Amino acid sequence: MSLRLGDQAPNFQAKTSLGEIDFYEYLGKSWGVLFSHPGDYTPVCTTELGKTAALKDEFEKRNVKVIALSVDDIDSHQGWINDINETQDVEVTFPLIGDKDRKISEAYDMIHPNASVNATIRSLFIIDPNKIVKLIISYPASTGRNFQEILRVIDSLQLTAYHSVATPADWKDGEDVVVLPSVKTEDIPSKFPKGFTEVKPYLRMTPQPNK
């Protein structure tokens, strides 16, 4: 059974590079990014974990905790982390889950048999503080993730969780947003005092409300 947007993210207990964790306890009241890798000591994954470590401050200011997973064991993870730190000039401080029995990978539908029967694809889940899955992105093993896009969608998810807006195509933090159709035009001035532009009756734009 695959996870879908709006589903409760499965909790789990796991051994990680930083010791044993309970996933829900690790997240606490933070947002979470859980992402998988086809395997340790692989070139694209090395750059991805290095980029994640380099963006530590960006994740922290968004109240996001990151955690990675592969089907290799913790001993393998520890050696690989040393290589990541050395080659990417970073310090990996977030946990890497060892999922040798693939229980977590299967709970999160990270193994796609037509791609690989024994390795996880590049799955990424963004989970809100209520432990609800808000976004899922899946990449093939050959394609590294765009971490600026991951930060962008976190900004969008956090904005739209607390305001009656949606973000348009190619939106970046600080740009105008779309007023939800559920908001009547006559109610916009009281909800969005910065003003709005009615492009069409169903397309109303307003400055980002939390800026």
Side-chain angles (χ1 to χ4, degrees):
M1 192 83 170
S2 60
L3 278 181
R4 297 183 178 182
L5 300 185
D7 287 351
Q8 189 84 17
N11 193 25
F12 57 82
Q13 292 73 43
K15 293 181 179 179
T16 80
S17 57
L18 298 180
E20 294 193 11
I21 67 156
D22 176 279
F23 185 49
Y24 279 13
E25 289 181 2
Y26 171 73
L27 291 181
K29 296 182 179 179
S30 299
W31 289 69
V33 170
L34 168 65
F35 59 115
S36 60
H37 300 275
D40 293 357
Y41 297 102
T42 51
V44 175
C45 301
T46 298
T47 64
E48 289 188 326
L49 291 180
K51 177 59 71 171
T52 304
L55 292 171
K56 176 183 178 182
D57 290 347
E58 294 297 323
F59 286 113
E60 286 183 349
K61 78 180 185 182
R62 291 168 171 82
N63 189 32
V64 174
K65 290 184 177 178
V66 298
I67 186 165
L69 172 150
S70 90
V71 295
D72 294 314
D73 60 28
I74 300 304
D75 288 342
S76 175
H77 285 356
Q78 297 292 1
W80 186 33
I81 288 170
N82 292 336
D83 281 2
I84 296 165
N85 291 343
E86 175 191 346
T87 62
Q88 308 301 303
D89 193 26
V90 295
E91 182 180 357
V92 172
T93 58
F94 55 89
L96 272 65
I97 297 166
D99 190 34
K100 204 164 181 62
D101 60 9
R102 305 194 304 181
K103 287 184 178 179
I104 301 167
S105 302
E106 290 170 358
Y108 278 81
D109 197 29
M110 293 173 170
I111 295 177
H112 293 194
N114 289 331
S116 172
V117 296
N118 57 12
T120 55
I121 60 169
R122 298 186 197 284
S123 296
L124 183 141
F125 301 84
I126 297 177
I127 298 164
D128 76 7
N130 295 317
K131 313 302 184 291
I132 300 300
V133 176
K134 303 300 289 187
L135 182 133
I136 302 170
I137 311 176
S138 296
Y139 297 78
S142 58
T143 303
R145 284 167 268 232
N146 182 330
F147 281 82
Q148 292 307 311
E149 170 64 4
I150 293 166
L151 293 175
R152 188 189 79 87
V153 294
I154 291 170
D155 288 338
S156 173
L157 289 168
Q158 293 183 341
L159 169 66
T160 58
Y162 306 115
H163 299 275
S164 300
V165 297
T167 55
D170 294 334
W171 174 86
K172 296 183 182 67
D173 188 43
E175 295 179 349
D176 287 359
V177 295
V178 176
V179 179
L180 289 182
S182 58
V183 178
K184 295 178 180 179
T185 298
E186 57 266 31
D187 295 334
I188 293 178
S190 61
K191 289 181 71 71
F192 302 102
K194 295 178 182 179
F196 74 101
T197 300
E198 185 177 292
V199 183
K200 289 286 184 181
Y202 59 86
L203 177 57
R204 293 87 48 88
M205 307 295 297
T206 189
Q208 184 171 329
N210 63 347
K211 289 291 181 181

